[in-house]
Amino acid sequence: SDPAAMSTDIPPPKSLAADVHLRPYQQTGFNWLCFLRRYGLHGALCDDMGLGKTLQALCAIVHVLAIPGPLGVSGKLDGPLG
């Protein structure tokens, strides 16, 4: 595995919202979720209420939906996000 894989910031999906700006700790959580998905691992975001777990999860879901091939879903987004 690539040790630098988690240190690279993945930009939030543009299709989610043009004005989505993740705070540094949210970016770290989003990067971590993408890292887990890339390597076929599982995990859970756990912290205090109000720190943006929903936003991080939505970014990760939309990111995965846009990936073509076996690690993604279809490469196409249907509905309001597409």
Side-chain angles (χ1 to χ4, degrees), residues 47-71:
D47 60 24
D48 293 330
M49 287 178 55
L51 295 179
K53 292 177 293 295
T54 301
L55 179 59
Q56 293 170 66
L58 287 172
C59 285
I61 290 167
V62 173
H63 175 75
V64 168
L65 288 174
I67 298 172
L71 291 179

Side-chain angles (χ1 to χ4, degrees), residues 8-58:
T8 304
D9 282 347
I10 299 168
K14 293 179 182 176
S15 60
L16 190 59
D19 60 347
V20 169
H21 301 286
L22 298 176
R23 294 183 175 154
Y25 61 88
Q26 293 170 325
Q27 182 67 57
T28 299
F30 173 51
N31 292 343
W32 182 69
L33 289 172
C34 293
F35 172 85
L36 293 177
R37 176 69 178 174
R38 179 176 183 180
Y39 291 101
L41 302 172
H42 299 88
L45 291 172
C46 302
D47 60 24
D48 293 330
M49 287 178 55
L51 295 179
K53 292 177 293 295
T54 301
L55 179 59
Q56 293 170 66
L58 287 172

